[in-house]
Amino acid sequence: MPQVPQTFFDALAVRTWCGLALRSLGHAREEIDAINVYPVADGDTGTNLYLTMESAVAAVDAVFDGHGTLTERKPPLADAARAMAHGALIGARGNSGTILAQLLRGMAQVLAADGETAHTDGEGLRLALRRAADSARHAVAHPVEGTVLSVASAAADAADGTDGDCGTVARAAYEGACAALAATPGQLAVLERAGVVDAGGRGLVAVLAALVETFTGEVPVFTVLEAHARVEAVLDSGAPEGTPCEGGGPAFEVIYLLEADDSAVTRLRERLDALGDSLVVVGGDGLWNVHVHVDDAGAAVEAGVEAGRPYRIRITHFGLGDVHTTGAERPPRERAQRAVVAVVPGEGLAGLYGEAGATTVLARPGEPPASGELVAAVRRAHAREVVLLPNDAELRHTAAAAAEQARAEGIRVALIPTRSAVQGIAALAVHEPERRFDEDVVSMTSAAGATRYAEVAVAERQSWTMAGICQAGDVLGLVDGDVAVIGADVTATARAVLDRMLAAGGELVTLVLGDDAPVSVADILEMHVRESYLAVDTVVYRGGRQGALLLIGVE
């Protein structure tokens, strides 16, 4: 992480702030989750804020990687600020994460406005904080005082009344946010009854503390006695777990990214506002993040389809007996002894893995999950022992980091280095939770290792490969991660790949078809295997929008 303090807002300051904010949210995550009672007492605000910021950090790091590592080759401020906002937007989780994404977007609009040459001083930071607070409030359909919106407005107000450099302005904003956070129980009855401050506001205080550290090098201590006492009391008592929400509420949380123009989003807001509550729509320039709580999840998605192209759709059921839907105390859920958590590249495979009992993390092409998302999935599995299947060679380090964090939380985790979803299918097929953990892991690892994997995809650009030079639009057959066949026809290329794989023997061929694969390819390949390779069986699955046209496994 770059050294602090920074003296003005440039690209390096953006990167430093994002990294420190992620660390600060990581330290406060459990505390924030514990005091989460509004708008839904589902105990995930801290986790959602962490995952949202983690996506912002990844986006900023990618911009720096594209400009090299030398200080003189750092990217322009505008590029780093826009990357921060875009990363938060596409990675936003939950109500709190969606609002945080809009706060960062509002700041980025000011930081990026002056082009590549300007460095932003205290006056620019004041303007950025004001834009952030105002844009976040505008994004929420029905703003409520005593929430993160109140804390953001108070931070901006405190900054407005301060002259000085970025460090002075940041400290004023932080102190204003702390005072506003302490006042939230007096503004929102559900917080007062639970004896807590607002969880989203507590998360924003952590983010602003990182801003102070960025420009002063000092870590401010959260010393607002009233707020601190309330937080400590609830952590000691565990009160929020059974704290009723105000009234009832919709049963589902629906979140999706949406490509649509402004006029369509205006109509979408009206439609979703009539369907449910906790509506937050953030973004702009054709890309939006939509969050709403509804009883009819299908109608919320259909409204997105009418407005544009929704994708990365996440629907969460608050659950029977949940405090949000019944106002009753949530019964404690017994931990399972063992669970499997798997990364999958498409909705079809997510369904297949889910039917087999696995907890899944959906990975879109070009959008690999972050370690925090894998940790959240491990927690969601709610088991004492977890087998983690990354199903992608590029996720090895990410999965290892997630496993280490989960182990630190007392969960026994075994990471099986699966490099493809078809290897994960083979591992899951021999999974037996009744066996001793070590025996089960050895069996699953052996099954995955005995499965050769391949995929058929379309080249996006001209490049050198192990099989020669390919052109954009060529069909590529990759075996064990390396290009082995370059062709012009999907079916012919897939058949050539199969022949190469079966030349070394095999008993079972697994085919996973993507949405864009030719309709007839599965039948043709099945017939080819049946006619050319005796005693070799074939199974076919539909993978959905999985990136590759076809995944192939041979075991």
Side-chain angles (χ1 to χ4, degrees), residues 12-291:
L12 199 59
V14 171
R15 190 185 199 186
T16 302
W17 177 37
C18 288
L20 292 173
L22 183 64
R23 186 186 69 183
S24 183
L25 287 170
H27 290 161
R29 180 190 60 77
E30 290 185 3
E31 171 193 318
I32 296 170
D33 282 347
I35 63 173
N36 172 201
V37 299
Y38 183 86
V40 182
D42 49 359
D44 63 358
T45 291
T47 299
N48 287 337
L49 289 169
Y50 181 87
L51 292 173
T52 302
M53 184 55 71
E54 188 175 46
S55 182
V57 168
V60 174
D61 284 346
V63 168
F64 269 80
D65 290 344
H67 283 77
T69 58
L70 298 178
T71 301
E72 59 267 24
R73 296 180 61 189
K74 67 186 177 185
L77 168 61
D79 287 0
R82 292 189 187 109
M84 172 185 71
H86 181 74
L89 178 68
I90 65 173
R93 299 290 193 276
N95 186 75
S96 55
T98 308
I99 293 174
L100 175 60
Q102 188 69 359
L103 288 167
L104 296 181
R105 176 179 170 81
M107 293 195 70
Q109 288 173 334
V110 173
L111 297 177
D114 293 330
E116 299 185 356
T117 58
H119 292 144
T120 302
D121 55 9
E123 173 64 21
L125 180 54
R126 284 195 294 273
L127 294 173
L129 290 166
R130 172 53 60 195
R131 176 71 66 87
D134 292 347
S135 61
R137 188 170 288 270
H138 177 73
V140 177
H142 302 285
V144 175
E145 298 307 322
T147 65
V148 63
L149 299 178
S150 302
V151 177
S153 294
D157 290 343
D160 284 342
T162 303
D163 292 324
D165 58 14
C166 285
T168 302
V169 172
R171 188 175 293 280
Y174 169 77
E175 292 173 353
C178 285
L181 178 65
T184 56
Q187 297 173 290
L188 200 54
V190 65
L191 301 179
E192 186 172 24
R193 287 198 300 271
V196 298
V197 294
D198 179 66
R202 174 66 183 94
L204 181 57
V205 165
V207 172
L208 291 174
L211 188 65
V212 174
E213 186 179 359
T214 298
F215 291 112
T216 68
E218 301 172 1
V219 182
V221 180
F222 183 42
T223 57
V224 183
L225 295 180
E226 181 181 356
H228 182 73
R230 291 175 181 271
V231 170
E232 289 299 315
V234 75
L235 287 176
D236 290 339
S237 66
E241 189 67 20
T243 302
C245 264
E246 295 180 295
F252 296 96
E253 178 185 60
V254 179
I255 305 174
Y256 50 80
L257 292 178
L258 177 72
E259 293 178 354
D261 59 37
D262 290 2
S263 60
V265 170
T266 300
R267 294 191 298 272
L268 175 66
R269 288 177 188 268
E270 296 173 355
R271 174 86 180 274
L272 293 178
D273 194 25
L275 286 175
D277 61 28
S278 297
L279 174 61
V280 185
V281 181
V282 304
D285 302 321
L287 180 62
W288 308 82
N289 191 306
V290 179
H291 170 281

Side-chain angles (χ1 to χ4, degrees), residues 452-494:
R452 299 190 68 197
Y453 66 96
E455 67 177 69
V456 177
V458 176
E460 296 181 356
R461 63 185 66 86
Q462 183 188 60
S463 61
W464 291 87
T465 76
M466 297 288 289
I469 300 175
C470 72
Q471 305 295 328
D474 283 348
V475 180
L476 306 180
L478 295 88
V479 177
D480 294 337
D482 293 323
V483 176
V485 180
I486 300 174
D489 177 75
V490 174
T491 303
T493 302

